[in-house]
Amino acid sequence: MGAEKTKAFGTIAADAPLNEMNIQRREVTSKDIEIEILYCGVCHSDLHTARNDWGGTIYPVVPGHEIVGRVTKIGNEVTKLKVGDLAGVGCLVDSCRECNSCEHDLEQYCLNGFTGTYNGADKHLGIQTYGGYSEKVVVDEHFVLKVPANLDLSAVAPLLCAGITTWSPLRHWNVGKDSKVAVVGLGGLGHMAIKLAKGLGAEVTLFSRTPGKTKDAKELGADEVVISTDAEQMKSVQGKFDLIIDTVPYVHDINPYVSTLNISGTLVLVGYLGELDPMLNTVPMIMGRKTVAGSVIGGIAETQEMLDFCGKHNIVSEVEIINIQDINIAYERMLKSDVRYRFVIDMASLKK
Amino acid sequence: MGAEKTKAFGTIAADAPLNEMNIQRREVTSKDIEIEILYCGVCHSDLHTARNDWGGTIYPVVPGHEIVGRVTKIGNEVTKLKVGDLAGVGCLVDSCRECNSCEHDLEQYCLNGFTGTYNGADKHLGIQTYGGYSEKVVVDEHFVLKVPANLDLSAVAPLLCAGITTWSPLRHWNVGKDSKVAVVGLGGLGHMAIKLAKGLGAEVTLFSRTPGKTKDAKELGADEVVISTDAEQMKSVQGKFDLIIDTVPYVHDINPYVSTLNISGTLVLVGYLGELDPMLNTVPMIMGRKTVAGSVIGGIAETQEMLDFCGKHNIVSEVEIINIQDINIAYERMLKSDVRYRFVIDMASLKK
């Protein structure tokens, strides 16, 4: 595998399907780790970026930021991992390393803008970064994670985005044994939120619009499922939760959930970027010191903490393994929420 | 002063001016403290309740929940104060005392509903509670505050509502010497927020729509005044504040303020009850773990802490003393924000 020619799967336009292509990876520098990618999770962001749903996509784009693999080469100053070790890469491959956020292990909030694993501004090559739908990736060791050896590697991949995105708010808002946590939406993020909150010892409730996911939610660890369209059920959980993790990625009314927060409780949005429509009512917030917050992925140290926690507690994602050649079909199924709960690409298929 | 006939100032209808009337006060029970009211602050809530702006007013209504005075009688089990001591009463005169909130000194969030100092449900007499626009008040000692003797008593009165309403969020969100705090709106609450945040050692900025209040704000302790209608000035404080206390009591766009929050910062609404119009945009919240919260007054222990702090740091409200007979004029002036920064009634005028 030469540095100049790495096999990948990506697209050249918003309306073109993903297809095989060659991309450039940099030569390993003194601080870099080269990773042979074994599995890559499929995140909604992959699809949105490939199709330029948010604007700003630079083509060609190679998605993928739930990367696990094996170290194949390291720079001479690398201390974190050695050749042959398992390794993971999440949503970030670089940040400024000197702002207040970076100094506090909050690279995801880098004040100078972090470098995304794909469609970011590659400081080395001066082009866009390319993600994990590829044979290999070269990343500065600071942004490479150690992967616990005892877990099913394919099911670890989604921890690098879906896992850390829900772990970070659970930790920031101090969820523990006495906490009552609710999760809104049972998808890639929601199912990880249930598992991780349960792992931390919390009592966990899933809010779902339909009863169809009740059995699954309980198998994942939820203590209770509340059907959010059922007024009686919603009434029964008024004022209950210390933390609600809202993973719903489209506009929806959060007011009914705010009312289910305990005094001083927090509803944290991790999925929906946009305006709160219908309008947020401040009355229950003021009369109960309730807060509405946002959170994005997590820092590198926190991601390592999460992976170590998952190793210790045997927590992985629920996955459906696909070949890279089926990625366009997977995107269509993902749009219909037809996946329980995360597609993961077996990157061996790229060698075919 | 007999228990059955206490002179007061109140109104019998939403469209009637306040006038002199007699009200009933209960006999002092074993846990009660009777206070001769010397000064009573005038809060916007007084006006809104008198005029039934929020609905739910029971007439006759006697407003006033920023009460200071002197103890004239105590029940045989009272230990907190003795006859002749200075005493204060704020927005609460009772709560259930047994819910989780009450057990944690958060009587303002009593899960069974606290008893407001006026227009509340009086558990003793079975009628509505009557507030501080009166000669005296009888309150359970738990809800009576000790007042530092070194402060100007008339200027202490507004601490019981305007003071604690801003103190509580400053303390809950851990404001201290390294904090950067902003205050939106310079009225009764805003001017106390500046003084208290400054007292806690924070760097304090006032957001104001017009430059007219700059001199005042700086005299009150603000380090900086940012004119919120000036795009350049707003740009200069992007990402700056750890806590913003928004005291504006009417609907307004909070999105420009959210952008001035630091990573993990909080904007807390203490003045506006209603829907956030225009809609709150979650993008800066998610991309910077920013939160929007609400807060109402404070608990009794926290109110005592605030009064003690004010005694130690010589902090009082800026007040304009009026006679009770001028209350209707004062309400009209208050509606035009024509007061710097709180009217306080000299209750000696009620004896005239």
Side-chain angles (χ1 to χ4, degrees):
Chain A
M1 300 191 290
E4 293 298 318
K5 203 174 167 190
T6 297
K7 206 192 266 190
F9 228 78
T11 181
I12 52 167
D15 57 358
L18 273 68
N19 222 324
E20 196 174 310
M21 57 174 61
N22 286 317
I23 57 167
Q24 188 182 359
R25 293 291 188 198
R26 69 175 178 265
E27 293 291 351
V28 170
T29 72
S30 60
K31 289 281 194 187
D32 281 339
I33 295 178
E34 182 189 83
I35 301 161
E36 178 196 1
I37 301 173
L38 299 175
Y39 295 99
C40 185
V42 181
C43 174
H44 276 263
S45 304
D46 297 0
L47 181 160
H48 290 307
T49 306
R51 299 183 178 183
N52 200 21
D53 289 337
W54 297 328
T57 300
I58 302 161
Y59 295 94
V61 65
V62 174
H65 57 205
E66 296 181 340
I67 299 169
V68 289
R70 200 169 287 280
V71 176
T72 45
K73 201 184 286 183
I74 60 171
N76 57 17
E77 291 176 30
V78 167
T79 57
K80 195 185 252 182
L81 289 169
K82 58 183 194 305
V83 172
D85 284 348
L86 293 175
V89 176
C91 304
L92 320 178
V93 289
D94 210 347
S95 68
C96 83
R97 324 264 192 111
E98 54 187 34
C99 71
N100 193 56
S101 292
C102 286
E103 279 177 359
H104 289 84
D105 293 322
L106 296 166
E107 299 91 346
Q108 77 274 34
Y109 301 121
C110 173
L111 299 176
N112 297 301
F114 65 74
T115 302
T117 300
Y118 56 82
N119 201 46
D122 188 324
K123 290 175 192 167
H124 296 261
L125 298 178
I127 55 175
Q128 68 272 38
T129 53
Y130 296 119
Y133 298 2
S134 61
E135 289 175 289
K136 62 171 186 173
V137 65
V138 178
V139 179
D140 184 288
E141 68 168 332
H142 180 76
F143 293 87
V144 178
L145 289 308
K146 298 177 191 178
V147 174
N150 62 310
L151 301 176
D152 171 3
L153 198 62
S154 65
V156 167
L159 300 180
L160 277 308
C161 173
I164 185 60
T165 298
T166 52
W167 176 259
S168 185
L170 288 168
R171 294 287 286 149
H172 183 67
W173 280 280
N174 299 311
V175 165
K177 288 201 198 321
D178 296 327
S179 308
K180 292 186 171 69
V181 172
V183 175
V184 187
L186 185 60
L189 269 63
H191 95 287
M192 284 313 309
I194 292 174
K195 288 189 176 203
L196 293 170
K198 199 66 199 167
L200 285 164
E203 181 187 322
V204 182
T205 299
L206 174 74
F207 282 117
S208 184
R209 286 189 301 176
T210 53
K213 289 182 169 176
T214 301
K215 187 168 164 284
D216 262 28
K218 296 207 166 170
E219 281 171 10
L220 291 165
D223 298 284
E224 200 184 354
V225 176
V226 170
I227 306 305
S228 58
T229 51
D230 182 321
E232 276 304 305
Q233 289 193 34
M234 287 301 281
K235 201 175 162 190
S236 74
V237 290
Q238 294 299 294
K240 176 167 181 175
F241 303 110
D242 303 303
L243 183 69
I244 300 175
I245 300 188
D246 185 331
T247 70
V248 177
Y250 45 80
V251 67
H252 59 291
D253 188 1
I254 69 166
N255 287 300
Y257 302 117
V258 171
S259 298
T260 70
L261 285 173
N262 193 359
I263 302 297
S264 309
T266 298
L267 181 149
V268 57
L269 296 152
V270 295
Y272 170 63
L273 291 160
E275 291 179 325
L276 289 180
D277 182 8
M279 293 180 279
L280 185 60
N281 190 327
T282 72
V283 176
M285 296 171 71
I286 289 178
M287 299 316 290
R289 194 162 61 190
K290 297 171 184 183
T291 72
V292 173
S295 179
V296 75
I297 40 178
I300 298 301
E302 203 170 39
T303 306
Q304 189 62 60
E305 178 195 65
M306 179 270 307
L307 286 169
D308 295 345
F309 180 89
C310 288
K312 194 174 162 192
H313 293 263
N314 253 299
I315 295 173
V316 289
S317 184
E318 301 297 309
V319 301
E320 178 177 339
I321 308 291
I322 59 167
N323 287 334
I324 187 68
Q325 292 78 11
D326 294 326
I327 187 67
N328 296 298
I329 296 164
Y331 278 7
E332 291 310 313
R333 285 183 53 196
M334 207 158 61
L335 283 173
K336 293 181 283 188
S337 300
D338 176 22
V339 53
R340 292 189 176 183
Y341 281 93
R342 203 69 151 180
F343 288 118
V344 170
I345 308 162
D346 180 350
M347 294 308 302
S349 60
L350 186 57
K351 295 181 179 164
K352 284 177 188 169
Chain B
M1 299 191 291
E4 293 299 319
K5 203 175 168 189
T6 296
K7 207 191 267 190
F9 229 77
T11 182
I12 53 167
D15 56 359
L18 273 69
N19 222 324
E20 197 173 310
M21 58 173 60
N22 287 317
I23 57 168
Q24 188 182 358
R25 293 293 187 197
R26 69 175 179 264
E27 293 290 353
V28 170
T29 72
S30 60
K31 289 281 194 188
D32 280 339
I33 296 178
E34 182 190 84
I35 301 161
E36 178 195 2
I37 300 173
L38 299 175
Y39 296 98
C40 186
V42 181
C43 175
H44 276 263
S45 303
D46 297 359
L47 181 160
H48 290 307
T49 305
R51 299 184 177 183
N52 200 21
D53 290 337
W54 298 328
T57 301
I58 302 160
Y59 294 94
V61 64
V62 174
H65 57 205
E66 296 181 339
I67 299 169
V68 289
R70 201 169 285 281
V71 176
T72 46
K73 200 183 287 183
I74 61 171
N76 57 15
E77 290 176 31
V78 168
T79 57
K80 195 186 251 182
L81 289 169
K82 57 183 196 304
V83 172
D85 284 347
L86 293 176
V89 176
C91 303
L92 321 178
V93 291
D94 210 346
S95 69
C96 83
R97 323 265 192 110
E98 54 187 33
C99 71
N100 193 55
S101 293
C102 287
E103 280 178 359
H104 288 84
D105 292 322
L106 297 167
E107 300 90 345
Q108 77 274 34
Y109 302 120
C110 173
L111 298 176
N112 297 302
F114 66 75
T115 303
T117 301
Y118 57 82
N119 202 45
D122 189 323
K123 291 176 191 168
H124 297 262
L125 298 178
I127 55 174
Q128 68 271 39
T129 53
Y130 296 119
Y133 298 2
S134 62
E135 291 175 289
K136 63 170 185 174
V137 66
V138 178
V139 179
D140 184 290
E141 69 168 334
H142 181 77
F143 294 87
V144 178
L145 289 308
K146 299 177 190 178
V147 174
N150 63 311
L151 300 176
D152 171 3
L153 198 61
S154 65
V156 166
L159 299 180
L160 276 309
C161 172
I164 185 60
T165 298
T166 52
W167 176 259
S168 185
L170 287 168
R171 294 287 286 150
H172 183 67
W173 280 280
N174 300 312
V175 165
K177 288 199 199 321
D178 296 327
S179 307
K180 291 185 172 68
V181 172
V183 176
V184 186
L186 185 60
L189 270 62
H191 94 288
M192 284 313 309
I194 291 175
K195 287 190 176 205
L196 293 170
K198 200 65 199 168
L200 286 164
E203 181 187 323
V204 183
T205 298
L206 174 74
F207 282 116
S208 184
R209 284 189 302 176
T210 54
K213 288 182 170 176
T214 301
K215 187 167 162 286
D216 263 28
K218 295 207 166 171
E219 281 170 11
L220 291 165
D223 297 283
E224 199 185 355
V225 176
V226 169
I227 306 305
S228 58
T229 52
D230 182 321
E232 276 303 306
Q233 288 192 37
M234 288 300 281
K235 202 175 161 189
S236 73
V237 291
Q238 293 301 293
K240 177 167 180 174
F241 303 110
D242 303 303
L243 182 69
I244 299 175
I245 299 188
D246 185 331
T247 71
V248 177
Y250 45 80
V251 67
H252 59 292
D253 188 1
I254 69 166
N255 287 300
Y257 303 118
V258 171
S259 297
T260 71
L261 285 173
N262 194 359
I263 301 299
S264 309
T266 298
L267 182 148
V268 57
L269 296 152
V270 296
Y272 170 64
L273 291 160
E275 290 178 327
L276 289 180
D277 183 7
M279 293 180 278
L280 186 60
N281 190 326
T282 71
V283 177
M285 298 171 69
I286 289 179
M287 299 316 290
R289 195 162 59 190
K290 297 171 183 183
T291 72
V292 173
S295 179
V296 74
I297 41 178
I300 298 302
E302 202 170 39
T303 306
Q304 190 61 61
E305 177 195 64
M306 180 268 309
L307 287 168
D308 296 345
F309 180 89
C310 288
K312 193 173 162 193
H313 293 264
N314 253 297
I315 294 172
V316 290
S317 183
E318 301 296 309
V319 301
E320 179 178 338
I321 307 292
I322 60 167
N323 287 333
I324 187 68
Q325 292 78 11
D326 295 328
I327 187 65
N328 296 299
I329 296 164
Y331 278 6
E332 292 308 314
R333 285 183 53 197
M334 208 158 61
L335 283 174
K336 293 181 284 190
S337 300
D338 177 23
V339 52
R340 291 188 175 183
Y341 282 92
R342 203 68 151 182
F343 288 118
V344 170
I345 308 162
D346 179 351
M347 294 309 302
S349 59
L350 187 58
K351 295 180 178 164
K352 283 177 187 171

